[in-house]
Amino acid sequence: MLAADTQSALLGVYKPAGPSFVAGEGCWLTGDDGRRYLDLTSGIAVNALGYGDPNVAAAIRGALDAGILHTSNLFRTAPAGELAAWLAAHSFADRVFFCNSGAEANEGAIKFARRWAGDRDEIIAFRGGFHGRTMGALALTDRPAYQEPFRPLMPGVHFAEVGDVDGVKALLQTGRVAAVIIEPIQAEGGVRLVAPGFLQALRALCTEHGALLMLDEVQTGLGRTGTLWAHEAAGITPDVMTLAKPLAGGLPMGAVLVTEAVAAALKPGDHGSTFGGGTLVASAALATCRKIGAEPFMAEVRRKSELLADLLGALALRRPGIRQVRGAGLMWGIEMDDAAGIVGRALEAGLLLCTAGPDVVRLLPPLVIGDDELRQGIAILEGAMEC
């Protein structure tokens, strides 16, 4: 085990639990205590391909062997261009901006919206939403406890209720709104699905009132919900979409995808990111996207999604303390009391879970998880509920 003083230099903004992990393979992590742990968190939806994926590893080795890990955006490199082309070809987008995280992607989206909108500078966000902890993204995040210590925040943000079409319409009618931002599933907000009809209504309202529709798919994008992008279920296309977590196979990377109309409003110098789209992360991301984007892979995700839904439905029937089970694809929330306690007891039993608020246990297994591993994970979870 690591000595306590080896962790003392880290800023105390996290509360890490359990062992220090020293190795990983597939859906399993090995701790410095010698135990193996089944991971149903994917590093909070990051490790979509699990640990040690050969395609991602080969891409990283190739970048290392080339000896160019970074050049900055003063110069061109092939991996970033190829990745941008792949994302554009597999989405609504015409142009792509690369950065380093989901929060940074949302910061970029805010700037792009304001640049595009001219003198309109307001943004509509939603109750229960989460868009990051940097200052602009925090202003869009409905978490008073997160916001209060850091006020004043970026002005011009209005919060609406998910499902309240009339409320959004009234805000848009002021003529001051540049953009509306929403997650197709409010992940950190309790794994709450936004109804397709509401997303369709937002698309129509944004078009009518000349505002951008921005979708935060930082956690839902790249196959997590059973389609490449979660908004596909609503049959809509946004003007801007932000990505991050699973994009580079475990390496830090974010992206902002935009239409040509948005891109045309931006000129050199309007935005930047020193490390954005670097050779190493772009190479890993291209391998990740190509693997997840293959239809046989996505078909397997959908099949396993049905199995997980059935397992959770049966669990809810056996456990009356479960108030609701909700989710899509391989992203689920179980609403019940003592979510943190259940997560802690599951850890002791060798299962990694996370919460989404005080009363939701969140499941985010790697997209490569096997059927038996899903069954094993749910069995351990049920055992943790019995204590």
Side-chain angles (χ1 to χ4, degrees):
M1 298 288 286
L2 288 173
D5 60 5
T6 65
Q7 303 295 301
S8 62
L10 292 172
L11 188 65
V13 293
Y14 303 112
K15 293 181 179 180
S20 176
F21 292 115
V22 297
E25 181 180 8
C27 298
W28 296 84
L29 285 168
T30 301
D32 60 353
D33 56 1
R35 294 181 64 195
R36 296 180 77 227
Y37 296 78
L38 178 58
D39 182 10
L40 296 193
T41 71
S42 302
I44 315 181
V46 169
N47 301 314
L49 298 178
Y51 300 92
D53 178 80
N55 300 82
V56 175
I60 292 173
R61 280 194 297 271
L64 292 173
D65 290 343
I68 303 176
L69 302 187
H70 175 74
T71 63
S72 86
N73 287 295
L74 295 174
F75 310 101
R76 296 187 180 93
T77 59
E82 291 175 14
L83 177 61
W86 190 96
L87 290 168
H90 291 81
S91 72
F92 70 95
D94 300 299
R95 302 292 184 93
V96 181
F97 173 83
F98 292 121
C99 52
N100 308 287
S101 69
E104 190 183 342
N106 284 329
E107 292 282 343
I110 293 167
K111 288 181 67 176
F112 298 168
R114 285 188 163 182
R115 194 73 166 97
W116 171 85
D119 61 355
R120 288 176 292 140
D121 58 3
E122 296 179 357
I123 297 177
I124 300 173
F126 290 88
R127 299 289 179 195
F130 183 94
H131 301 287
R133 295 175 186 259
T134 51
M135 292 301 286
L138 184 61
L140 306 179
T141 293
D142 179 36
R143 293 289 193 286
Y146 292 174
Q147 292 182 336
E148 286 301 330
F150 305 105
R151 292 187 182 279
L153 300 174
M154 180 183 74
V157 177
H158 302 282
F159 286 99
E161 297 290 340
V162 173
D164 183 6
V165 175
D166 290 339
V168 174
K169 184 175 182 179
L171 290 170
L172 285 166
Q173 286 174 335
T174 65
R176 298 294 308 166
V177 175
V180 176
I181 186 167
I182 192 168
E183 305 157 274
I185 300 176
Q186 292 186 325
E188 304 294 331
V191 193
R192 299 187 182 279
L193 281 68
V194 176
F198 185 62
L199 292 175
Q200 293 161 4
L202 291 181
R203 174 68 278 174
L205 285 171
C206 286
T207 300
E208 178 184 353
H209 293 277
L212 299 180
L213 177 61
M214 306 198 304
L215 295 184
D216 179 339
E217 292 232 26
V218 166
Q219 192 160 148
T220 60
L222 275 176
R224 175 57 57 183
T225 64
T227 54
L228 197 57
W229 317 118
H231 68 264
E232 292 180 50
I236 63 165
T237 56
D239 303 293
V240 178
M241 179 170 67
T242 55
L243 305 176
K245 288 183 179 293
L247 182 55
L251 296 179
M253 190 178 204
V256 188
L257 280 61
V258 301
T259 62
E260 188 62 45
V262 176
L266 297 159
K267 65 180 188 299
D270 276 347
H271 196 50
S273 178
T274 297
F275 295 101
T279 301
L280 181 68
V281 292
S283 297
L286 188 59
T288 301
C289 288
R290 285 173 171 166
K291 185 162 186 175
I292 293 175
E295 179 50 35
F297 184 94
M298 288 307 308
E300 267 295 283
V301 172
R302 289 190 289 272
R303 185 192 63 77
K304 287 182 282 194
S305 301
E306 294 178 0
L307 171 60
L308 181 54
D310 289 344
L311 291 170
L312 292 174
L315 177 65
L317 291 175
R318 294 192 300 270
R319 296 288 165 185
I322 295 177
R323 295 193 290 274
Q324 189 178 28
V325 172
R326 53 183 180 261
L330 293 177
M331 179 182 193
W332 288 82
I334 305 169
E335 185 176 328
M336 62 186 306
D337 293 334
D338 192 28
I342 292 168
V343 169
R345 292 190 292 273
L347 175 63
E348 294 174 0
L351 177 68
L352 305 183
L353 301 167
C354 56
T355 59
D359 59 356
V360 175
V361 175
R362 183 170 27 156
L363 281 68
L364 296 163
L367 304 185
V368 295
I369 194 167
D371 293 7
D372 289 344
E373 290 168 325
L374 282 173
R375 294 187 181 97
Q376 183 178 356
I378 299 306
I380 298 173
L381 169 60
E382 185 168 12
M385 294 177 177
E386 294 175 351
C387 300

